[in-house]
Amino acid sequence: ITQNSAIRACEKGEQWVQALRLFGAMADGCVQRDTLTYNAVVIAVYNGQQWIQAVQMFRDMADSRLESSTVTHNVAVSACEKSRQWVRALQIFREMATSFVE
């Protein structure tokens, strides 16, 4: 919970690099990441205009077998739009529709 709060603070403070560092430190310290962790870091990098990184974090979340939320999907689709990854945006949208994300 503390790490999620710290990443969220980085997101609010527009400190996307620090958010990524904290995110990485969680793995190094064997701290489990959850949907809230990914949401916060995806939003942080998106707000830092690191759209390709945001899409990659979304993919990493899926690879980790964590359930994504509507927030995660919306940010990922928007990041695809900003980085001109139209096909990927449509794939994410379809995934969201078929998985009944709330």
Side-chain angles (χ1 to χ4, degrees):
I1 294 174
T2 303
Q3 289 86 352
N4 286 352
S5 297
I7 292 172
R8 188 111 170 114
C10 290
E11 169 213 324
K12 299 278 186 207
E14 299 180 9
Q15 300 295 315
W16 67 270
V17 173
Q18 186 62 29
L20 283 175
R21 284 187 188 131
L22 290 168
F23 184 80
M26 289 177 78
D28 295 342
C30 297
V31 177
Q32 190 169 7
R33 301 166 178 166
D34 61 15
T35 301
L36 296 176
T37 309
Y38 275 92
N39 282 353
V41 78
V42 167
I43 292 168
V45 296
Y46 175 85
N47 289 343
Q49 299 181 4
Q50 305 302 308
W51 302 305
I52 292 173
Q53 181 71 40
V55 174
Q56 184 59 50
M57 297 304 296
F58 178 79
R59 288 182 187 144
D60 291 350
M61 182 179 188
D63 291 345
S64 297
R65 305 217 190 276
L66 288 172
E67 276 193 43
S68 52
S69 68
T70 301
V71 170
T72 320
H73 278 87
N74 287 342
V75 174
V77 167
S78 186
C80 287
E81 181 260 329
K82 297 282 188 185
S83 61
R84 299 178 184 222
Q85 296 184 49
W86 306 110
V87 172
R88 182 66 182 140
L90 289 172
Q91 288 172 340
I92 292 169
F93 185 75
R94 281 190 209 110
E95 289 168 14
M96 184 171 63
T98 59
S99 66
F100 304 107
V101 172
E102 295 182 20

